[in-house]
Amino acid sequence: MDIQEQEGKRSRPVISLVLPCFNEEEVLPETTRRLTALLDRLEADGEIDPASAIFYVDDGSRDGTWGLIAAYSRQNPRVCGIKLSRNRGHQNALLCGLMTAPGEVLISLDADLQDDLEAIPRMVQSYRAGSEIVFAVRSKRETDSPLKKFTAQAYYRMLAFLGVQVIYNHADFRLMSRRTLEVLRDYGETHLFLRGLVHQLGFKTDIVEFERMERFAGESKYPLSKMLSLAWQGVTSFTAYPLRLITGAGVLVSLASLAMAAWAFCLRLFTNEALPGWASTVIPMYFLGGVQLLSLGIIGEYLAKVYESSKNRPRFHVETVCGLPFGKAGVK
């Protein structure tokens, strides 16, 4: 044990920056320049080991993203690349990088430079002070549109209501130690929602706040449809509460139907106001039909997850890698 560890502070770690990429050729030159400068600065300050590197994960890009990554890996000893055989989605690409890249500490972030790079030194300091996981959390949402801000806040409130434990305003910008990554490796879930999984690992955690920037170049690769899909993934992967809501809705509908039947019986028995009409038949029929279809859809979603998980198919395939560290560490 060295002097730093005896004093309660870890020695400078080998860190790997993991960045999933999908059609990011416009922003990669600037991202590489800034990240290289950051690692050089942290090394000069004695915060990280000289073997620290950048790992780009090409998630089946259709532009020149992989060509740039391969070129940078030849020119820059800090740059490494992992190319997936096809597009597998952001969460699977991120998991591939986390499970493949070497290093004592791995930090995941987006390639579009919206994540504040100046939060990384504070994350490393928190790790050296003893934290195993460090979550980078947005301090405010000034760069979001009113619709984006409203939907994001509604999403986190919905997850909390349904019992899903996540860090408010945290996406996938985080630091994880090798110890926690080996625990994460034991999770064999087909449908990934990493911001929920990582929070469940336990261990000593810390939070670092940052301000999210405007995208440096290009367009967002996460349109509304993908964000809604990820939101639904988080709900159905971490809680059975929607199924319990179906049960509650069934009880309420049954009670309402019994009350309506009792009201109709009393109206017919004690008054002359009962008139035949289509509303009393058609409206309940359509209402009950809608509830049944919604219930079947939610149940079907859970059954589909069970079906896809039972096939136990690989979540990704690595087509090729580039960069010096792979020659030492290998690909897992």
Side-chain angles (χ1 to χ4, degrees), residues 102-117:
E104 181 183 343
V105 172
L106 276 73
I107 300 176
S108 59
L109 66 159
D110 291 337
D112 56 14
L113 294 177
Q114 287 190 282
D115 295 329
D116 184 9
L117 302 187

Side-chain angles (χ1 to χ4, degrees), residues 83 111 129 134 140 166 172 223 254 265 276-277 315:
K83 188 179 191 303
V134 184
K140 53 186 177 180
V166 294
D172 289 302
S254 299
F265 178 76
R315 288 170 291 194

